[in-house]
Structures are given as C-alpha cells and as structure tokens.
Amino acid sequence: MKMSKLKIEHNLKYLVATILFVVISILSISCSDAKKHKDSYNILLIHSNNEGPVWQDELTQGVKQYFDENNVDVNISVHYMNTDFVINKENIRRMNDLMVSYEQNPPDLIITFNNQATYSLLSSTHYIAYNVPIVFSGTSHYFNYLIDNHSNITGFIAKPDFNKVYKLAKTLLKDSTLMLNVIVDGTPAGLSLLDTFKKQMNPENHSDKMLYYNIYDENIHDIMYWNQYHSKNVFVIMPKWNSFYSNLAHESSAPFFLVNNQGFGDGSLGGYMVPTNKQAQLTAQTALEVLKGRSIKSIPIKDMEQVPVFDWREIKKWDLNIKDLPKNTLIAHMPFYEKYKIPLQTGGGIVFVFILVAITQLILLYKEESRQKKDTLHKLLKQGKELELSLKSIPEGVISLDLANCILTINKAAMQFLKLKGDATSYIGANLFTLLDIHLPGNTYYLQEMILSTKGKEKNLSFDKTAYIKSPNVKDFPIKGDIAGIYRDGIAYGTVITFTDISNELIQNELMDIAMNNGSIFTLRIPESHEGINFSPLFFSHYQIYDDGSHLISNDEFIKLLHPDDVELFHDLISSDYYLEGKIAFKARIKVNNKGYNWFEFRLSSMYDPKASTKKFIFGIVIDIQSYKQTEEELVAARDKAKQSDALKSAFLANMSHEIRTPLNAIVGFSNLLTCDDEYDQEDRLIFIDAINNNCRLLLALISDILDLARIESGSMLFKNIRCDVNELIEQIINTHQVIIPSNLRLIKEVPNETSILMIDCIRLNQVITNLINNAIKFTTKGYIKVGYTKEKEGYLKFFVEDTGRGIAEEDLNNVFNRFYKKNEFTQGAGLGLSICKVIVDRFNGTIQVTSKQGEGTRFEVRIPDQDAASYEMDGIVPNCDKGVKDYSQQIQVTNQPKNGLSTILIAEDEDSNFLLVKTILKNKYQLIRAKNGKEAIDIFRRENIDLILMDNKMPVMSGLDALTIIRKESNTIPIIMLSAYVFDSDIETAKKAGASEYLSKPVDVKLLNETIANFLS
C-alpha cells in the first residue's frame, strides 16, 4: 500500500512537470508593444468597378491592413466608379463630381486601382486632380499623354503577357483541339488590351482557332447562348474584367484565364498576374512614403512582377493536377488543412503523444482511486439492499443517502416523480443534488439546512407545506414528506428522504376554494326526512335570506321563494317515494334580495347513507346562472341587431351606388357630348360645362360626407379649439351662400350687435351651420332662410337656421338625425348631413333640436356652451391649436428674378393626367418644370432657380412629404404648396409641421390655385 502511494506521488510530480513545461513554453512567446499613432491622414481610394468583386475587396483590405501593421492612423474613404457599360465622358463627369464633393475637405492622397479609375482621374479638369498626390495601381498600360500633364502622380503598371498565359493554359488543359475565345468590352482600355493581345498572339505562331467577342457590340443573349451550348473544348482569356464576366465565368463550362488580378476569385481559374496582397502592399507602401514627406516626383512609375496565381476552388472544379502548375505558383482559397498539411500532421502527432501520456497517467490514478471507492461502496451497497427490499412497494418516493449526500438507494416511486430513466442501480453513488433539490419560496438552501438538522440527532422532520422540488428532468412541483437520520448502534450512517407530489391535490383544493368562494356556487343537502333543504351558510348571507342557525329552508318557505312555474318540479323532488338514479340537473327561478327572481341551476347526486345502507340521501350544488341568462338574452338581441345592420348596410350600399352614379352619369354624359365637334354650339357647351361642375360639386360633397362618417366611426375626427369670432363666422357663411342661393330666396342674418368670442373648432362649427343651410335650401322654394344666434342666460349660445320650406311631418322629426334617413328618396344627398351635425354638436357638449310644421317651415336650433376665450387666457397668452407648427407662409421671400418675364414653378407630380391639368391651367402664366418623384424635385430645386414648388404627396421613389422636409432644411423662403388628394386634418397638420406654405386639395380648384400662387409670387 505504501509503495502504491509513492508511485502515485511520483506520477503526479511527472504530470505536473510536463504541464508546467507546456505552459512556460506558451508564455515565453511575447509580443511587442504597439507603436502609438503620431499622425492622421485622409485617403480617397477609388475603384474602377462597382462594389462586390472579391479581388477588389482584397485590394481594399490589403491597403488598410498595411497601414494598420505600420501603426499609421488613416481614414480611408472608398469610392466605386461602376464604369461598366458607361462611356468615358460620363465617367469623367462622375469623377469631376466626386472631386467637387471633396472641395471642402480635400484628401491627403488619392489611390486609384485599375485602368478606368486612373484614366478618369487623370482626365479630370478639377484642381484636386492636379494638386493632391496620386498613386495609381494595376493599370495595364502607360497613359503617357495624361501622366505627362501631372507632376503629382506615380504608380504601378501590370503589363499583360497574353502569350505566357496562353502557353500555360495549353499546358494545363492538355488538349490540342481546344479553341481560344477572347472576350472584351468596348471601353478604351478593353480595346487597347485587345490590340495588345493581337500583337502578342501573332496567328502565324499559333495554329489554334481564336474567336473574339465584344460585349458592347455583340448581343449579350448571343454570348450567353454560346456559353451554354458551345463552350465545350474552349478556354477563354479575358484581357479586361467586366462585371458581366463574373456571372459568365461562374456559369460557363469553359475555364477562364486572366492576365491580371481583375476578376480573380469570381469564377476564373487563374493566370499570370500580380497577387492582390502584393499589389495592395506595394501601393500602400508607396502611399505611406508620400504621406511621410518623400517627393512624389522622385518615385518612378514601375512595372509590377507577375506570377502564376490560381484559385484552388477552380482547380478542383476543372480537375487539374497541382504538379502541372509552375513552381512559383500561388494558390488562393486553399483550405487551411491542405495548405499546412505536413506541419499539421507533425504537430498533431506530437500533441497526440503528449495527450496519450497524460491520459495514461490519469487512468492509472483513476483506477487506484476507484478501487478504494469500490471497497467502501460495496459495504454500503450491502446495507442498502437490505433497505431497498422494504422500499419498493411504498407509493411515496424514498431516497437514502450516505454522510456525503451520495445516493444509497432510490425506489421506483421516486424515479417516477423525478422522471428518471434506466435502472435504480445506475443512480447509486450519484450526488443527490445532481438529481434534485428542495426549496422554499425565498430559501434555496432549505434541503441542505434540513439535512444538517438531522445529522447527529435521531429525529424526524416534516417538510414545510410550501416546499417544492427542483429537478433538471421535470418542472418544479410541490411536495409533502419527511426527512430523518439513519442510525445503527447510535452511529449516524446517512439520511433518508420521503416525499410525494401534491400538485393535483393542491389544484383540486384551489379549484374547490375558487368555486365555492366566488359568490355563485353553493352546496346543498336534502335530509332523509325531506323536510327541507340544507344550504351552505354563504348562500344565506349572499342573498340576504334569514337563517336561524340550522342552515335549513323548510319546504314551505322554499316554495314561497320559487317561481310559480317551477314549484311542481320541486314537489317531485321531495316526494316521499322519490329517489335519484345517477345524477340530474335542472334550472329554477328563486326570489332573492327582494328584487325579483334569479335563475339557478341545481346539480344533484345521491348515495347510500352509511348509517342506513338501504336508504339514499341527496346532495349537490346550486349555481347562480342569472348572468348567463342575461348574456343569452343579450346575444339574441345582438343577433337581431346584426341582422338589422346587414339590412341597413345593404340599403346603404344601394343608396351610395345610386347617389354616386347619379352625378357620375351627368359628368360622363356631358363630357362625352363635349367631344362632339359640330353637333352643339357654344351656348350648349357652356350649359354642359356648368352641369359637369355642379355634379362634380355634388360628388365631392357626397365623398366628404362619407369621409366624415368614416372618421366618426373610427373616432379619428380631430377637434382643434381656437379663438372664434362668432359674428365674423356667420358673416363669412352668409357671404359664401349669397352667391349660390337661388334668386327666389332671401338669406337673412340675425346676430347680436356685440359679437361673442368662443374657444371652439371653427371649422366644425362652420360645417354644422353650413349643413343646416344647405338642408334648408333643398326643401325651400320661396320665402327666406334665416341664420343667426342668441345668447342665453344659462351660459349657452343658441344658433338657429330657420326656413319657410315644406316642413317635416311630426312622425318624422325623431328620424331626421339618423344616418342615411331620407324621407324623399328623390332628394339629392345621402342622408348623412344632419347625423354628422349631431355628432359634432355632441362633441361640443351641446344639443341640437328641430321644430317644424308642414307647409310653414322648419327651425333647427343648436345650443353650445358659451366657453369664452378669456377663460383660457393666462398672462395674455391664448392656447393655439397649431402650437409647434412653424408658419412658413409668413417667411416667403421671392428673390429670384423672373426668366423671360415669367416666374419658374416646379411641379412635383407623378400622374401624367394631373400634371397635364395643372400645366393647362398655368402654362401661359409661368415657366413650368416637372419632377416625377420627390428625389427628382430635390435635384431640380438644387440645380435650377425655382420661385415656387407645387408638391404632390404620394409619389414613387420618395414621397412629397419627405422631399418637403429635406428642402426645408436647405431653404426657409421658397414657397411650397402641397397639392394632394389626402384631405384629412391629420394629413394637413403633418404637412404644415414639415414646412408646407399652403395645402390645397384635389380635385384642383382653378380659381383657388391661381389666387394662392399669385399671393405667394406677388
């Protein structure tokens, strides 16, 4: 035994020494402190192509990585030219625009990659292109005539070697029947490279057939057709990359070879090129020298060395042998394991041997410790089996533990409670707390405390009634049980725990408590003598029924409480020869609280009396179902109301169809007549136009009423209280209607000499009075219509509209404010005006009434609380409903001089027909410019001298509201009139907050539009 311990100690020392050696070896690797940044530079990096190609991203990352490795603080802005399929002139214009954007903060240095970016920058006439140092990289040829004009440039040229790539392709593909296809684009760089290819690849030196494709001249569909059906036994050389090539290379059944790194990683196989990391490093190195102060003139333009570079993924795709590649070939995208196979295998072997030695040592230690544990465990198991035999049949869960809280025995019931799988013996020796723990609310150490309480003490403790088990295998569940110490001959050997799941028991108790204490369910029992009914005490107190303490209601008293129609059923129940078979249920009405009858449901059962086995006694519950009966009646009423609503909806749809089609018929009909050239004279056409306008007004009024109704139904009708001069409001309404009222009617105003000032929504009040006047005009053919108001002593203003029309029958007076009500179906209107008036008046906390006599006339009266605006004033400030909305209509200053005597108006409108209408209205008065969306409107505003903007709201690309917000950030003076079909108050308010000078609704009111524009441009 002693030798064994010495051996174990020796092995432990050896293992610790080995681990320390590895740790010290790792810690011996040190890293140098990073050099603090001294300077910060701004660099503009310009790529020729669009964002996305892999090789292009590698160049960007390579430049950034070089500066990071050299601890240089740079801010690199990357710009993508996207020159594919774009002419040189446009590319140069884009470059000029880019330079303009950097005028305020020019970069310290510019880096360009590849031909088009370099060519466009050198062709730019902007001063930045001649003053900021430029480092170009990756151009295929020397732009002599451009570079000679710049003293601020240096860079690197990657001259293509087509002959070298061609020979390499032939060597790899090993097929003498292959045909070579050359695909270029029509850019100057592409055509120049094609000429270089033809010069290098003299047909006299090559017998292979060569085909040339120019994607600018050839139909791309034809190239794709060739790629799909005729690309076998073909290989492709790309003199210049184009974004079209990436998809072509990925989908082609022919390998693509490169003469530069453009397109590498996007489906091409490889070729002779400058590796992207090498190109990025050289470019960044030269840039850093310039930034650090070296004269750019002293740095000559150099050729970069090209080496064979191939894509591992494409090598596998074309099943090429790596051994056929040149010795100095670089392979990109090679998996880590393939790249470092030999070092990994060697290192893996060393690690494996080390782990194997360590595991061997640990196994030896483990075996020795396990042997000792088994001896001890064997003794405990022998004792545990004796206990196990007595525990198997116990329904409670039983677990016995040793002094270390490891399981000695666990019975079947405990495993079922804990949902443990397998045999009980598999859990012997496991620590108890890996299987379960027992907590109290707020005490997670409860089980540990209970175990400690039993150790050294021969006593039994019961778990608290709030105890619950936590286990990783089941959800928490409440328990009841005990815990006790295990003793033999006065010596403690461990602990035994018994428990059972009481979840169902608690649920049943809780349900019973809920059912019996909610005031609607009560217990009852009918004694054998059938002399009455015993109810629970709660029944008497809840319904205020007298209780003498016996909780018994005699049969006679109960019959008095029963509804007469239910008495017979009770007599049957208590008859001497009556007894229950199974369970029954019935409903009856009982008089309660001296307030009438409540419906109750009786659910009864019976059983043998244990004292007299031949007799039964009846018991059960009684449930107050009055609320259910009321709900049932309400549901029946709701069903009837739904049927009525369906009928009203059908009637409304039919009525709306008629009301909408009637003016539409006139509008469409007379519009068609106007297209006839010779059939009607000018007077007839004026009549037609007048009819069209009148019916348009009718249709708009109908739509407004429908929209108001929709807002009323949804609760979204907004009310904004402002100061309102009542006399002035009445005067405006009278002046408006004087123009349109028939000549045979007089419009009379009757108001007090001294006006009243209200805090009220003037627009809604105007709407109420206007609707009442329009209603009076419909039904009055002669006489007068009187409009006015009076002040009442009770603190109300009483508005009235009185007419001498046909009057309303007395039986119809209660229906006039109902929606869609029309006494005469042939009268114009949808029957919504008066109902809308009532809703608005209700919102004013007022009332509306009507008195009428047939043949004499009608008088509508509206009483509104006289909420004087003075009561809202504090320190001379009156609440303003438009608080927070900046009034841009007061800030307009027309500063532009008219062009050719005409002001310039920008019309932002996407619908051609709407633009044509506005153009027709304004074409001879103003110079007009159109934008079809919000973005175009912003661009035109920035580019042109605009005097006024007409802005639609709903437009593609960018809405008018978004465009308005952006323009307002740039100018507070330009008049912007919103001209939109959105007419809700919330839409108008949103536009005003965003900066609209005015808001006009569609359809266009020609007169209002002309007046509004004239006001802003005057």
Short mmCIF file of all heavy atoms in Angstrom, two decimals, residues 411-461:
data_model
loop_
_atom_site.label_atom_id
_atom_site.label_comp_id
_atom_site.label_asym_id
_atom_site.label_seq_id
_atom_site.Cartn_x
_atom_site.Cartn_y
_atom_site.Cartn_z
N ASN A 411 -36.09 4.43 -4.63
CA ASN A 411 -37.14 3.49 -5.00
C ASN A 411 -37.84 3.91 -6.29
O ASN A 411 -37.59 4.99 -6.85
CB ASN A 411 -38.14 3.30 -3.86
CG ASN A 411 -39.04 4.52 -3.68
OD1 ASN A 411 -38.71 5.61 -4.15
ND2 ASN A 411 -40.17 4.35 -2.99
N LYS A 412 -38.71 3.03 -6.78
CA LYS A 412 -39.38 3.21 -8.07
C LYS A 412 -40.25 4.47 -8.07
O LYS A 412 -40.31 5.21 -9.07
CB LYS A 412 -40.21 1.98 -8.37
CG LYS A 412 -40.88 2.00 -9.74
CD LYS A 412 -41.62 0.70 -10.01
CE LYS A 412 -42.27 0.72 -11.38
NZ LYS A 412 -43.02 -0.53 -11.64
N ALA A 413 -40.96 4.72 -6.96
CA ALA A 413 -41.84 5.90 -6.90
C ALA A 413 -41.04 7.19 -7.05
O ALA A 413 -41.45 8.12 -7.75
CB ALA A 413 -42.61 5.90 -5.58
N ALA A 414 -39.88 7.28 -6.40
CA ALA A 414 -39.05 8.48 -6.51
C ALA A 414 -38.58 8.68 -7.94
O ALA A 414 -38.54 9.81 -8.45
CB ALA A 414 -37.86 8.38 -5.56
N MET A 415 -38.20 7.59 -8.62
CA MET A 415 -37.76 7.71 -10.02
C MET A 415 -38.90 8.19 -10.92
O MET A 415 -38.68 8.95 -11.86
CB MET A 415 -37.21 6.37 -10.51
CG MET A 415 -35.93 5.95 -9.80
SD MET A 415 -35.23 4.43 -10.47
CE MET A 415 -34.84 4.94 -12.13
N GLN A 416 -40.12 7.72 -10.62
CA GLN A 416 -41.27 8.15 -11.42
C GLN A 416 -41.56 9.63 -11.19
O GLN A 416 -41.85 10.37 -12.14
CB GLN A 416 -42.49 7.30 -11.08
CG GLN A 416 -42.39 5.87 -11.56
CD GLN A 416 -43.55 5.01 -11.10
OE1 GLN A 416 -44.28 5.39 -10.19
NE2 GLN A 416 -43.71 3.86 -11.73
N PHE A 417 -41.51 10.08 -9.93
CA PHE A 417 -41.73 11.51 -9.65
C PHE A 417 -40.70 12.37 -10.38
O PHE A 417 -41.02 13.44 -10.91
CB PHE A 417 -41.66 11.77 -8.14
CG PHE A 417 -42.87 11.29 -7.38
CD1 PHE A 417 -42.71 10.60 -6.18
CD2 PHE A 417 -44.15 11.52 -7.84
CE1 PHE A 417 -43.82 10.16 -5.46
CE2 PHE A 417 -45.26 11.08 -7.13
CZ PHE A 417 -45.10 10.39 -5.94
N LEU A 418 -39.44 11.91 -10.39
CA LEU A 418 -38.35 12.70 -10.99
C LEU A 418 -38.15 12.39 -12.46
O LEU A 418 -37.27 12.98 -13.11
CB LEU A 418 -37.05 12.43 -10.24
CG LEU A 418 -37.06 12.79 -8.75
CD1 LEU A 418 -35.74 12.38 -8.10
CD2 LEU A 418 -37.29 14.29 -8.55
N LYS A 419 -38.96 11.43 -13.02
CA LYS A 419 -38.88 11.03 -14.43
C LYS A 419 -37.46 10.61 -14.80
O LYS A 419 -36.90 11.05 -15.81
CB LYS A 419 -39.36 12.15 -15.34
CG LYS A 419 -40.84 12.45 -15.17
CD LYS A 419 -41.35 13.47 -16.17
CE LYS A 419 -42.83 13.72 -15.97
NZ LYS A 419 -43.38 14.71 -16.91
N LEU A 420 -36.88 9.76 -13.96
CA LEU A 420 -35.54 9.24 -14.22
C LEU A 420 -35.64 7.97 -15.04
O LEU A 420 -36.53 7.14 -14.82
CB LEU A 420 -34.83 8.95 -12.90
CG LEU A 420 -34.63 10.14 -11.97
CD1 LEU A 420 -33.96 9.70 -10.68
CD2 LEU A 420 -33.81 11.23 -12.65
N LYS A 421 -34.77 7.78 -15.99
CA LYS A 421 -34.77 6.62 -16.86
C LYS A 421 -33.74 5.60 -16.40
O LYS A 421 -32.79 5.92 -15.69
CB LYS A 421 -34.49 7.05 -18.30
CG LYS A 421 -35.54 8.00 -18.87
CD LYS A 421 -35.18 8.39 -20.30
CE LYS A 421 -36.23 9.36 -20.86
NZ LYS A 421 -35.89 9.75 -22.26
N GLY A 422 -33.92 4.36 -16.85
CA GLY A 422 -32.96 3.32 -16.53
C GLY A 422 -33.28 2.62 -15.22
O GLY A 422 -34.36 2.76 -14.64
N ASP A 423 -32.28 1.86 -14.75
CA ASP A 423 -32.42 1.09 -13.52
C ASP A 423 -31.98 1.93 -12.32
O ASP A 423 -31.11 2.79 -12.44
CB ASP A 423 -31.58 -0.19 -13.61
CG ASP A 423 -31.84 -1.11 -12.45
OD1 ASP A 423 -32.94 -1.72 -12.41
OD2 ASP A 423 -30.97 -1.21 -11.58
N ALA A 424 -32.57 1.63 -11.15
CA ALA A 424 -32.25 2.38 -9.94
C ALA A 424 -30.77 2.27 -9.58
O ALA A 424 -30.18 3.20 -9.03
CB ALA A 424 -33.12 1.90 -8.79
N THR A 425 -30.17 1.12 -9.89
CA THR A 425 -28.76 0.92 -9.52
C THR A 425 -27.84 1.89 -10.25
O THR A 425 -26.72 2.16 -9.79
CB THR A 425 -28.35 -0.52 -9.82
OG1 THR A 425 -28.59 -0.81 -11.20
CG2 THR A 425 -29.13 -1.49 -8.95
N SER A 426 -28.27 2.40 -11.40
CA SER A 426 -27.41 3.31 -12.16
C SER A 426 -27.25 4.66 -11.47
O SER A 426 -26.37 5.45 -11.83
CB SER A 426 -27.96 3.51 -13.58
OG SER A 426 -29.25 4.09 -13.53
N TYR A 427 -28.12 4.95 -10.48
CA TYR A 427 -28.03 6.23 -9.79
C TYR A 427 -27.36 6.11 -8.43
O TYR A 427 -27.18 7.10 -7.74
CB TYR A 427 -29.44 6.83 -9.62
CG TYR A 427 -30.10 7.13 -10.95
CD1 TYR A 427 -31.00 6.23 -11.52
CD2 TYR A 427 -29.78 8.30 -11.64
CE1 TYR A 427 -31.59 6.50 -12.73
CE2 TYR A 427 -30.37 8.58 -12.86
CZ TYR A 427 -31.27 7.67 -13.41
OH TYR A 427 -31.84 7.94 -14.62
N ILE A 428 -27.04 4.88 -8.02
CA ILE A 428 -26.38 4.69 -6.74
C ILE A 428 -24.97 5.28 -6.80
O ILE A 428 -24.21 5.03 -7.73
CB ILE A 428 -26.34 3.19 -6.37
CG1 ILE A 428 -27.77 2.68 -6.14
CG2 ILE A 428 -25.49 2.95 -5.13
CD1 ILE A 428 -27.86 1.19 -5.91
N GLY A 429 -24.63 6.06 -5.80
CA GLY A 429 -23.33 6.72 -5.76
C GLY A 429 -23.36 8.13 -6.29
O GLY A 429 -22.42 8.90 -6.09
N ALA A 430 -24.44 8.48 -7.00
CA ALA A 430 -24.54 9.84 -7.53
C ALA A 430 -24.88 10.81 -6.41
O ALA A 430 -25.57 10.48 -5.45
CB ALA A 430 -25.61 9.91 -8.63
N ASN A 431 -24.41 12.04 -6.54
CA ASN A 431 -24.72 13.06 -5.55
C ASN A 431 -26.19 13.45 -5.66
O ASN A 431 -26.72 13.63 -6.75
CB ASN A 431 -23.84 14.30 -5.75
CG ASN A 431 -24.01 15.30 -4.62
OD1 ASN A 431 -24.93 16.09 -4.61
ND2 ASN A 431 -23.07 15.26 -3.67
N LEU A 432 -26.86 13.58 -4.52
CA LEU A 432 -28.30 13.86 -4.51
C LEU A 432 -28.62 15.13 -5.29
O LEU A 432 -29.61 15.19 -6.02
CB LEU A 432 -28.78 14.01 -3.05
CG LEU A 432 -30.22 14.51 -2.88
CD1 LEU A 432 -31.20 13.45 -3.35
CD2 LEU A 432 -30.49 14.90 -1.44
N PHE A 433 -27.76 16.17 -5.14
CA PHE A 433 -28.08 17.48 -5.71
C PHE A 433 -27.94 17.52 -7.23
O PHE A 433 -28.29 18.51 -7.86
CB PHE A 433 -27.23 18.56 -5.06
CG PHE A 433 -27.55 18.75 -3.61
CD1 PHE A 433 -26.78 18.15 -2.62
CD2 PHE A 433 -28.66 19.50 -3.22
CE1 PHE A 433 -27.08 18.31 -1.29
CE2 PHE A 433 -28.97 19.66 -1.88
CZ PHE A 433 -28.18 19.06 -0.90
N THR A 434 -27.41 16.45 -7.85
CA THR A 434 -27.42 16.36 -9.31
C THR A 434 -28.77 15.92 -9.83
O THR A 434 -29.07 16.06 -11.02
CB THR A 434 -26.34 15.39 -9.81
OG1 THR A 434 -26.64 14.07 -9.31
CG2 THR A 434 -24.96 15.82 -9.33
N LEU A 435 -29.61 15.36 -8.94
CA LEU A 435 -30.94 14.88 -9.34
C LEU A 435 -32.05 15.80 -8.86
O LEU A 435 -33.05 15.98 -9.54
CB LEU A 435 -31.18 13.46 -8.81
CG LEU A 435 -30.20 12.37 -9.27
CD1 LEU A 435 -30.62 11.03 -8.68
CD2 LEU A 435 -30.16 12.29 -10.78
N LEU A 436 -31.90 16.37 -7.67
CA LEU A 436 -32.98 17.21 -7.14
C LEU A 436 -32.45 18.13 -6.06
O LEU A 436 -31.36 17.92 -5.52
CB LEU A 436 -34.12 16.34 -6.58
CG LEU A 436 -33.84 15.50 -5.33
CD1 LEU A 436 -34.13 16.27 -4.04
CD2 LEU A 436 -34.68 14.23 -5.35
N ASP A 437 -33.27 19.13 -5.77
CA ASP A 437 -33.04 20.00 -4.63
C ASP A 437 -34.42 20.41 -4.13
O ASP A 437 -35.40 20.43 -4.89
CB ASP A 437 -32.22 21.23 -5.02
CG ASP A 437 -31.61 21.92 -3.80
OD1 ASP A 437 -31.88 21.46 -2.68
OD2 ASP A 437 -30.88 22.91 -3.99
N ILE A 438 -34.55 20.72 -2.86
CA ILE A 438 -35.82 21.13 -2.29
C ILE A 438 -35.68 22.55 -1.78
O ILE A 438 -34.78 22.86 -1.00
CB ILE A 438 -36.25 20.18 -1.14
CG1 ILE A 438 -36.38 18.75 -1.67
CG2 ILE A 438 -37.56 20.65 -0.52
CD1 ILE A 438 -36.73 17.73 -0.60
N HIS A 439 -36.57 23.44 -2.28
CA HIS A 439 -36.53 24.85 -1.93
C HIS A 439 -37.80 25.27 -1.22
O HIS A 439 -38.84 24.59 -1.30
CB HIS A 439 -36.38 25.72 -3.18
CG HIS A 439 -35.07 25.55 -3.88
ND1 HIS A 439 -34.78 26.21 -5.06
CD2 HIS A 439 -33.97 24.80 -3.59
CE1 HIS A 439 -33.56 25.87 -5.45
NE2 HIS A 439 -33.06 25.02 -4.58
N LEU A 440 -37.70 26.40 -0.55
CA LEU A 440 -38.87 27.14 -0.09
C LEU A 440 -38.88 28.47 -0.86
O LEU A 440 -37.83 28.92 -1.32
CB LEU A 440 -38.79 27.43 1.41
CG LEU A 440 -38.92 26.26 2.38
CD1 LEU A 440 -38.88 26.78 3.81
CD2 LEU A 440 -40.19 25.47 2.15
N PRO A 441 -40.02 29.10 -1.02
CA PRO A 441 -40.02 30.43 -1.64
C PRO A 441 -39.09 31.36 -0.88
O PRO A 441 -39.27 31.59 0.32
CB PRO A 441 -41.49 30.87 -1.54
CG PRO A 441 -42.27 29.60 -1.47
CD PRO A 441 -41.40 28.63 -0.72
N GLY A 442 -38.07 31.85 -1.55
CA GLY A 442 -37.11 32.75 -0.92
C GLY A 442 -35.99 32.05 -0.19
O GLY A 442 -35.11 32.71 0.38
N ASN A 443 -35.94 30.72 -0.19
CA ASN A 443 -34.88 29.98 0.51
C ASN A 443 -34.43 28.82 -0.37
O ASN A 443 -35.09 27.78 -0.44
CB ASN A 443 -35.37 29.46 1.86
CG ASN A 443 -34.25 28.78 2.65
OD1 ASN A 443 -33.11 28.67 2.19
ND2 ASN A 443 -34.57 28.31 3.85
N THR A 444 -33.30 28.98 -1.06
CA THR A 444 -32.79 27.95 -1.96
C THR A 444 -31.87 26.95 -1.26
O THR A 444 -31.39 26.01 -1.89
CB THR A 444 -32.02 28.61 -3.12
OG1 THR A 444 -30.94 29.38 -2.58
CG2 THR A 444 -32.93 29.51 -3.95
N TYR A 445 -31.62 27.15 0.05
CA TYR A 445 -30.75 26.24 0.81
C TYR A 445 -31.55 25.38 1.80
O TYR A 445 -31.01 24.84 2.75
CB TYR A 445 -29.69 27.03 1.57
CG TYR A 445 -28.80 27.84 0.68
CD1 TYR A 445 -29.02 29.21 0.49
CD2 TYR A 445 -27.74 27.25 0.00
CE1 TYR A 445 -28.21 29.96 -0.34
CE2 TYR A 445 -26.92 27.98 -0.83
CZ TYR A 445 -27.16 29.34 -1.00
OH TYR A 445 -26.34 30.07 -1.81
N TYR A 446 -32.85 25.26 1.56
CA TYR A 446 -33.73 24.60 2.52
C TYR A 446 -33.34 23.14 2.75
O TYR A 446 -33.26 22.67 3.90
CB TYR A 446 -35.18 24.71 2.03
CG TYR A 446 -36.18 24.03 2.93
CD1 TYR A 446 -36.42 24.49 4.22
CD2 TYR A 446 -36.89 22.91 2.49
CE1 TYR A 446 -37.35 23.87 5.05
CE2 TYR A 446 -37.81 22.29 3.31
CZ TYR A 446 -38.04 22.77 4.60
OH TYR A 446 -38.94 22.15 5.41
N LEU A 447 -33.10 22.38 1.67
CA LEU A 447 -32.78 20.96 1.83
C LEU A 447 -31.45 20.79 2.58
O LEU A 447 -31.33 19.90 3.45
CB LEU A 447 -32.71 20.27 0.45
CG LEU A 447 -32.36 18.78 0.48
CD1 LEU A 447 -33.34 18.00 1.35
CD2 LEU A 447 -32.33 18.20 -0.94
N GLN A 448 -30.46 21.60 2.26
CA GLN A 448 -29.18 21.49 2.96
C GLN A 448 -29.36 21.77 4.46
O GLN A 448 -28.77 21.08 5.31
CB GLN A 448 -28.19 22.48 2.35
CG GLN A 448 -27.89 22.22 0.88
CD GLN A 448 -26.98 23.27 0.29
OE1 GLN A 448 -26.08 23.75 0.96
NE2 GLN A 448 -27.22 23.61 -0.97
N GLU A 449 -30.20 22.74 4.79
CA GLU A 449 -30.45 23.05 6.20
C GLU A 449 -31.16 21.88 6.89
O GLU A 449 -30.84 21.56 8.05
CB GLU A 449 -31.30 24.32 6.30
CG GLU A 449 -30.59 25.58 5.80
CD GLU A 449 -31.51 26.76 5.70
OE1 GLU A 449 -32.74 26.57 5.96
OE2 GLU A 449 -31.05 27.87 5.37
N MET A 450 -32.11 21.26 6.20
CA MET A 450 -32.84 20.14 6.79
C MET A 450 -31.91 18.95 7.02
O MET A 450 -32.00 18.25 8.04
CB MET A 450 -34.01 19.74 5.89
CG MET A 450 -35.11 20.79 5.79
SD MET A 450 -36.00 21.02 7.35
CE MET A 450 -37.06 19.57 7.33
N ILE A 451 -31.01 18.66 6.08
CA ILE A 451 -30.07 17.54 6.24
C ILE A 451 -29.15 17.80 7.44
O ILE A 451 -28.90 16.91 8.26
CB ILE A 451 -29.25 17.34 4.95
CG1 ILE A 451 -30.16 16.83 3.83
CG2 ILE A 451 -28.11 16.36 5.18
CD1 ILE A 451 -29.47 16.72 2.48
N LEU A 452 -28.67 19.05 7.54
CA LEU A 452 -27.81 19.37 8.68
C LEU A 452 -28.56 19.26 10.01
O LEU A 452 -27.99 18.88 11.04
CB LEU A 452 -27.26 20.79 8.52
CG LEU A 452 -26.21 20.99 7.41
CD1 LEU A 452 -25.87 22.46 7.27
CD2 LEU A 452 -24.96 20.17 7.72
N SER A 453 -29.86 19.56 9.99
CA SER A 453 -30.66 19.49 11.22
C SER A 453 -30.83 18.06 11.72
O SER A 453 -31.06 17.83 12.91
CB SER A 453 -32.04 20.12 10.98
OG SER A 453 -31.92 21.48 10.65
N THR A 454 -30.75 17.07 10.81
CA THR A 454 -30.95 15.68 11.23
C THR A 454 -29.65 14.97 11.54
O THR A 454 -29.68 13.88 12.14
CB THR A 454 -31.68 14.91 10.10
OG1 THR A 454 -30.87 14.95 8.91
CG2 THR A 454 -33.03 15.53 9.81
N LYS A 455 -28.54 15.54 11.14
CA LYS A 455 -27.26 14.87 11.40
C LYS A 455 -26.92 14.94 12.88
O LYS A 455 -26.95 16.02 13.48
CB LYS A 455 -26.14 15.49 10.55
CG LYS A 455 -26.21 15.07 9.09
CD LYS A 455 -25.04 15.59 8.29
CE LYS A 455 -25.10 15.07 6.87
NZ LYS A 455 -23.97 15.57 6.05
N GLY A 456 -26.59 13.81 13.46
CA GLY A 456 -26.25 13.76 14.88
C GLY A 456 -27.45 13.77 15.78
O GLY A 456 -27.30 13.82 17.01
N LYS A 457 -28.64 13.75 15.20
CA LYS A 457 -29.86 13.79 16.00
C LYS A 457 -30.82 12.72 15.49
O LYS A 457 -31.10 12.67 14.29
CB LYS A 457 -30.52 15.15 15.92
CG LYS A 457 -29.63 16.30 16.38
CD LYS A 457 -30.30 17.64 16.13
CE LYS A 457 -29.36 18.79 16.51
NZ LYS A 457 -29.97 20.10 16.21
N GLU A 458 -31.28 11.90 16.38
CA GLU A 458 -32.23 10.86 15.99
C GLU A 458 -33.65 11.44 16.05
O GLU A 458 -34.40 11.21 17.00
CB GLU A 458 -32.10 9.64 16.92
CG GLU A 458 -30.77 8.96 16.85
CD GLU A 458 -30.75 7.68 17.67
OE1 GLU A 458 -31.83 7.09 17.87
OE2 GLU A 458 -29.67 7.28 18.09
N LYS A 459 -33.96 12.24 15.01
CA LYS A 459 -35.31 12.81 14.97
C LYS A 459 -35.79 12.88 13.54
O LYS A 459 -35.02 12.86 12.58
CB LYS A 459 -35.33 14.18 15.62
CG LYS A 459 -34.52 15.26 14.88
CD LYS A 459 -34.69 16.61 15.57
CE LYS A 459 -33.93 17.71 14.83
NZ LYS A 459 -34.11 19.02 15.49
N ASN A 460 -37.12 12.97 13.43
CA ASN A 460 -37.81 13.01 12.14
C ASN A 460 -38.41 14.40 11.96
O ASN A 460 -39.09 14.92 12.85
CB ASN A 460 -38.90 11.93 12.11
CG ASN A 460 -39.61 11.90 10.76
OD1 ASN A 460 -38.98 11.63 9.77
ND2 ASN A 460 -40.90 12.17 10.77
N LEU A 461 -38.16 15.04 10.78
CA LEU A 461 -38.67 16.39 10.48
C LEU A 461 -39.56 16.34 9.23
O LEU A 461 -39.24 15.63 8.27
CB LEU A 461 -37.52 17.37 10.24
CG LEU A 461 -36.55 17.60 11.40
CD1 LEU A 461 -35.43 18.53 10.96
CD2 LEU A 461 -37.28 18.17 12.61
#
